[in-house]
Amino acid sequence: MGYFGSTLLAAGTTMPSDAAMGFASMGWTKHIGPLYETDPAVRTAAMATSSAIIATLHNDKQLQVKGIQAYNASVMEMVKGLQRTNWYKRDGLLTAARIMATFELLFISKEKDTPEPLAWRGHNQGQQAIFLARGPAAFATGPAHQLYADARINMVMLSMGQRKRSPFASPAWDKIPWKKHPKAVKDELIDLMQDIPEILEYIEEFKASPDPYRRQELETLIMGRCNEVRADLDAWAADRGDSLQRFDCFAHAGPIEPPKNDVEFAFHHMTTIYWFTLGMTSCIKSFFTSQQGVERIPERPLGFYATYTGGSVGTPASTTSSYDYDDVNSPASASTASTAPVQPGVSETEHYLWESAMYATRGVYAVRFFFTHDAGVAHSAAGLMSLAVLLRFYLHPATFCITGQEVEILESMYNIPILGIPIGQLLRRILGGHLPPLVANLGGPRVSHGLGWF
């Protein structure tokens, strides 16, 4: 179990530190050891994953077969557990499902280049069903609390994919599990992220509705919710101060130093999630301020967006409403807004497109740290999902680059192996079997790519 923990976690640690648990969802791994002794599903899932890790690192075909056998045994134990009367009350099933989700995400045949059924979603749907069956009061204490707290990020991502509001976005689920525990920094961030699936559900209704009056209502609702989320994210970021610049490429004149310990790896993951959440809200806002993609963005000289400060929005070139939110006063632009000269002719739409590209660029320059030697299997698995989100941004033809190196950096990571499997092959599986060429657009957008990120 010690070897399993040291390969699963960052910087060779066998147990997540309290500080790291405040920034990333790795605290659940503390309970693998005790449950390994008492729960057969956890035991076989841990054996499967550790065997697969060792087999991959040492190219041991026989051990690889044993790992697959252990995984199949874990599936059978899960089936047995689900047949029991009190199946949903077992912490072991939640832990085993979390381990198996990692196994499914990373361990595929090197020879296969075609998509296989991705059971990662199924395991997370299973966890969601157990959480809902037990209710929020069941996760106020003990291992159950940590299992729920650390699964929330996957539950949010699951709801985003389904374009449905999260069943956990309610006062009961936000408060009852924390009656005896103060919320950590990452818990507060996930609270804000839980609003994104609701916005996506409204967007799906907007796209399907033939009623112009309902579409107008939805547009106002969506923009209002985006502005609320943005304001809450800005307040959260203000509490973090300059620490959010640790992995920010725009805050460093030279190369960014890689994470040095499990705390920094955890903070790196949290920062990446923060950036792509902000980028999503900016993309959505660009679509609606452009009158659903009608507005055309003027062609800009090469390098314009690398020097644009974001110092002005809502100029005469924009004919849309400001929706009562002033991005000039946000923490992200506060360092430049007070001294930046007014740049006429930049509409709200173009400004929001620039914002989304800036957040994506930050993610591109930081995402490689998920795949360093010291990152650990769990951190690399989290990075794989973050990278898939970034790729969806750069797959859209209206996307543009700030530095001009984003696409080159992303494509350079395709051949980096995670436990022997190239990242490009794993991404192709996540993206449904396709890994089309990315767009290296340096001249800026001509039209809002709107909801293309999603």
Side-chain angles (χ1 to χ4, degrees):
M1 283 303 299
Y3 180 83
F4 175 67
S6 65
T7 53
L8 191 69
L9 300 175
T13 54
T14 58
M15 195 73 67
S17 64
D18 289 341
M21 287 166 55
F23 298 133
S25 301
M26 298 297 174
W28 68 277
T29 59
K30 292 196 310 180
H31 305 293
I32 295 176
L35 289 168
Y36 183 93
E37 303 297 332
T38 60
D39 195 292
V42 173
R43 184 162 54 251
T44 50
M47 288 174 60
T49 306
S50 57
S51 297
I53 291 171
I54 297 170
T56 300
L57 293 176
H58 298 281
N59 197 26
D60 189 327
K61 299 293 184 183
Q62 186 175 1
L63 190 58
Q64 190 176 52
V65 171
K66 290 183 178 179
I68 294 172
Q69 291 173 341
Y71 179 80
N72 291 335
S74 184
V75 172
M76 294 304 297
E77 290 296 337
M78 289 281 283
V79 172
K80 291 179 186 176
L82 292 171
Q83 292 173 343
R84 297 174 185 168
T85 304
N86 64 342
W87 63 270
Y88 58 92
K89 296 182 179 180
R90 291 176 54 201
D91 292 340
L93 285 182
L94 287 169
T95 308
R98 190 73 183 264
I99 298 171
M100 292 165 74
T102 302
F103 184 99
E104 280 282 348
L105 194 62
L106 297 178
F107 296 107
I108 62 174
S109 171
K110 293 182 185 179
E111 289 73 33
K112 286 190 176 180
D113 204 28
T114 55
E116 299 170 349
L118 190 59
W120 177 86
R121 295 182 186 89
H123 288 306
N124 282 294
Q125 287 171 335
Q127 291 178 73
Q128 182 185 82
I130 293 173
F131 290 137
L132 294 174
R134 291 175 68 170
F139 300 98
T141 59
H145 170 77
Q146 196 68 55
L147 288 166
Y148 171 66
D150 287 348
R152 291 171 82 216
I153 180 62
N154 289 340
M155 299 299 102
V156 171
M157 297 300 288
L158 186 65
S159 294
M160 284 184 185
Q162 295 169 335
R163 310 292 192 273
K164 296 287 186 183
R165 71 187 67 200
S166 170
F168 304 106
S170 70
W173 280 104
D174 280 348
K175 294 178 181 178
I176 293 174
W178 279 273
K179 276 189 172 181
K180 299 182 180 180
H181 298 271
K183 283 196 173 182
V185 175
K186 53 97 173 172
D187 297 323
E188 294 171 351
L189 177 59
I190 295 171
D191 283 348
L192 308 182
M193 286 183 69
Q194 286 194 140
D195 291 330
I196 299 293
E198 179 186 12
I199 294 172
L200 296 180
E201 182 174 305
Y202 289 137
I203 288 171
E204 291 302 301
E205 183 183 351
F206 175 88
K207 289 159 61 177
S209 176
D211 183 348
Y213 296 104
R214 178 56 180 162
R215 285 168 65 88
Q216 182 59 50
E217 289 178 350
L218 287 166
E219 177 178 341
T220 303
L221 179 61
I222 291 165
M223 287 297 289
R225 296 293 288 122
C226 282
N227 291 336
E228 289 171 8
V229 172
R230 173 61 189 265
D232 289 341
L233 286 168
D234 286 350
W236 179 89
D239 289 340
R240 310 284 80 74
D242 292 339
S243 64
L244 288 175
Q245 296 181 357
R246 171 64 178 86
F247 300 103
D248 185 348
C249 61
F250 296 114
H252 296 266
I256 304 171
E257 287 290 322
K260 297 181 176 64
N261 49 51
D262 70 327
V263 178
E264 287 208 329
F265 274 107
F267 192 83
H268 166 255
H269 184 204
M270 183 187 70
T271 305
T272 305
I273 292 170
Y274 163 70
W275 286 332
F276 78 63
T277 305
L278 280 169
M280 285 182 174
T281 61
S282 296
C283 270
I284 294 169
K285 289 163 77 172
S286 76
F287 178 72
F288 287 103
T289 57
S290 69
Q291 300 174 354
Q292 296 91 60
V294 171
E295 179 185 336
R296 292 297 181 266
I297 310 299
E299 188 170 355
R300 300 297 186 181
L302 197 64
F304 174 84
Y305 293 105
T307 58
Y308 171 65
T309 62
S312 62
V313 297
T315 67
S318 174
T319 59
T320 55
S321 302
S322 66
Y323 295 93
D324 299 318
Y325 186 76
D326 183 5
D327 283 87
V328 177
N329 296 320
S330 71
S333 58
S335 61
T336 57
S338 59
T339 58
V342 173
Q343 295 177 267
V346 176
S347 69
E348 286 182 295
T349 298
E350 187 173 9
H351 176 81
Y352 293 138
L353 288 170
W354 167 80
E355 272 194 349
S356 64
M358 289 284 283
Y359 293 126
T361 297
R362 287 181 170 97
V364 167
Y365 277 80
V367 75
R368 65 184 184 275
F369 296 134
F370 282 107
F371 312 117
T372 61
H373 176 72
D374 292 333
V377 172
H379 198 64
S380 293
L384 196 63
M385 302 307 291
S386 297
L387 186 53
V389 173
L390 280 171
L391 282 185
R392 292 184 189 279
F393 179 79
Y394 288 101
L395 288 175
H396 198 279
T399 300
F400 67 100
C401 298
I402 297 293
T403 69
Q405 297 178 307
E406 289 91 336
V407 167
E408 181 182 348
I409 292 170
L410 287 173
E411 292 181 336
S412 71
M413 287 187 274
Y414 287 174
N415 292 325
I416 298 174
I418 301 178
L419 296 175
I421 307 294
I423 285 175
Q425 188 173 345
L426 294 166
L427 285 171
R428 188 176 291 111
R429 185 182 185 216
I430 292 173
L431 297 173
H434 304 287
L435 198 58
L438 303 179
V439 179
N441 179 3
L442 304 182
R446 303 281 73 78
V447 64
S448 169
H449 57 29
L451 314 181
W453 195 343
F454 317 115

